[in-house]
């Protein structure tokens, strides 16, 4: 029979383990952000987290595993909630709001997106992890379009193809504009202009016109 004290101690250990994992995950995110994928080491992560080197392996198999969990946490906690743009009675402002939030995550984590690109080139697991996360986002976006088609609110189109294309366009635009500093080094970054342009393209793709 488990005593109250034993239950309390078990709960305390679980809370401590969760806190240590969160500490290591936050440290890993910061180091990947600063150093990139290739230059990050387990030692750099544990130094940042102020934990023993061996503690890392209680929560992650290796650097690759830690990186995947960092990216997953960013996608789940910060990005995924912004990808399905509601097509309500004011779809154009709703699109702008969703795209603005999406770009905000990119701008907040420019180092991580650079690390993700490098990681995908070096690690099949990182590449597959990103494709799986992205596929879930695209499917949900496609389902949203399909629901609006059934309701007669948007024109007919291949929802999956359009969802893939719009997601890729937005991802690539965010990366080149916010991470790489395009369209030109001598022009200041203008995220709001990018939001407006992307929203126009989304609106035209879905409704076949640009709202005046």
């Amino acid at each position: 029979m488990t005593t109250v004290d034993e239950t309390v101690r078990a709960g305390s250990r679980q809370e401590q383990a969760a806190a240590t994992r969160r500490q290591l995950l936050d440290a890993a995110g910061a180091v990947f952000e600063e150093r990139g994928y290739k230059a990050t080491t387990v030692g750099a992560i544990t130094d940042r987290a102020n934990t023993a080197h061996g503690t890392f392996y209680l929560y992650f198999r290796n650097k690759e595993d830690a990186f995947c969990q960092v990216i997953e946490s960013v996608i789940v906690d910060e990005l995924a909630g912004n990808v399905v743009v509601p097509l309500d009675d004011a779809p154009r402002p709703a699109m702008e709001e969703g795209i603005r939030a999406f770009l905000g995550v990119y701008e907040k984590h420019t180092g991580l997106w650079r690390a993700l690109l490098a990681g995908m080139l070096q690690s099949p697991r990182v590449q597959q992890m990103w494709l799986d996360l992205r596929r879930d986002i695209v499917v949900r976006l496609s389902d949203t379009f399909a629901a609006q088609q059934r309701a007669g609110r948007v024109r007919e189109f291949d929802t999956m193809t359009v969802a893939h294309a719009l997601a890729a366009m937005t991802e690539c635009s965010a990366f080149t504009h916010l991470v790489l500093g395009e369209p030109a080094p001598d022009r200041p970054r203008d995220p709001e202009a990018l939001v407006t342009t992307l929203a126009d393209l989304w609106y035209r793709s879905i409704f076949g016109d640009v709202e005046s």
Side-chain angles (χ1 to χ4, degrees):
M1 179 176 179
T2 303
T3 66
V4 172
D5 286 344
E6 289 172 337
T7 301
V8 170
R9 285 196 296 271
S12 178
R13 286 194 297 270
Q14 290 174 353
E15 290 176 1
Q16 184 177 2
T20 300
R21 179 186 177 277
R22 183 73 253 177
Q23 184 178 346
L24 282 163
L25 199 62
D26 289 344
V31 176
F32 282 120
E33 183 89 43
E34 293 172 5
R35 299 190 179 192
Y37 183 81
K38 186 175 182 179
T40 292
T41 63
V42 171
I45 294 171
T46 55
D47 286 348
R48 178 66 63 92
N50 195 28
T51 61
H53 193 86
T55 303
F56 176 91
Y57 294 100
L58 297 176
Y59 301 92
F60 310 105
R61 289 191 294 275
N62 47 36
K63 179 182 81 171
E64 179 186 64
D65 184 38
F67 182 70
C68 287
Q69 292 193 41
V70 166
I71 294 298
E72 286 170 354
S73 71
V74 170
I75 299 299
V76 173
D77 296 345
E78 301 183 45
L79 196 60
N82 300 315
V83 298
V84 178
V85 179
L87 301 178
D88 54 19
D89 293 335
R92 180 61 169 70
M95 288 177 184
E96 284 199 358
E97 180 180 351
I99 291 169
R100 185 178 293 110
F102 185 91
L103 296 182
V105 177
Y106 263 79
E107 191 165 30
K108 180 180 177 182
H109 298 291
T110 56
L112 279 184
W113 302 120
R114 288 178 180 272
L116 177 60
L117 181 59
M120 284 193 292
L121 294 174
Q122 297 180 46
S123 165
R125 185 194 168 195
V126 171
Q127 181 181 98
Q128 190 59 52
M129 174 272 303
W130 172 245
L131 289 175
D132 290 342
L133 290 172
R134 186 185 182 280
R135 188 174 298 111
D136 179 66
I137 290 171
V138 169
V139 168
R140 291 195 292 118
L141 187 58
S142 175
D143 289 345
T144 298
F145 293 156
Q148 295 300 322
Q149 285 180 341
R150 290 193 295 272
R153 304 189 67 181
V154 301
R155 68 185 183 86
E156 289 298 317
F157 53 83
D158 185 320
T159 61
M160 185 61 73
T161 300
V162 170
H164 270 291
L166 291 176
M169 176 184 69
T170 305
E171 292 162 4
C172 187
S173 295
F175 190 84
T176 56
H177 192 89
L178 302 175
V179 179
L180 300 182
E182 287 293 330
D186 58 343
R187 291 180 56 184
R189 289 189 305 178
D190 190 350
E192 277 304 305
L194 183 58
V195 168
T196 300
T197 298
L198 288 172
D200 283 344
L201 293 170
W202 274 65
Y203 196 94
R204 183 184 292 276
S205 297
I206 296 167
F207 292 93
D209 195 3
V210 174
E211 187 179 53
S212 59

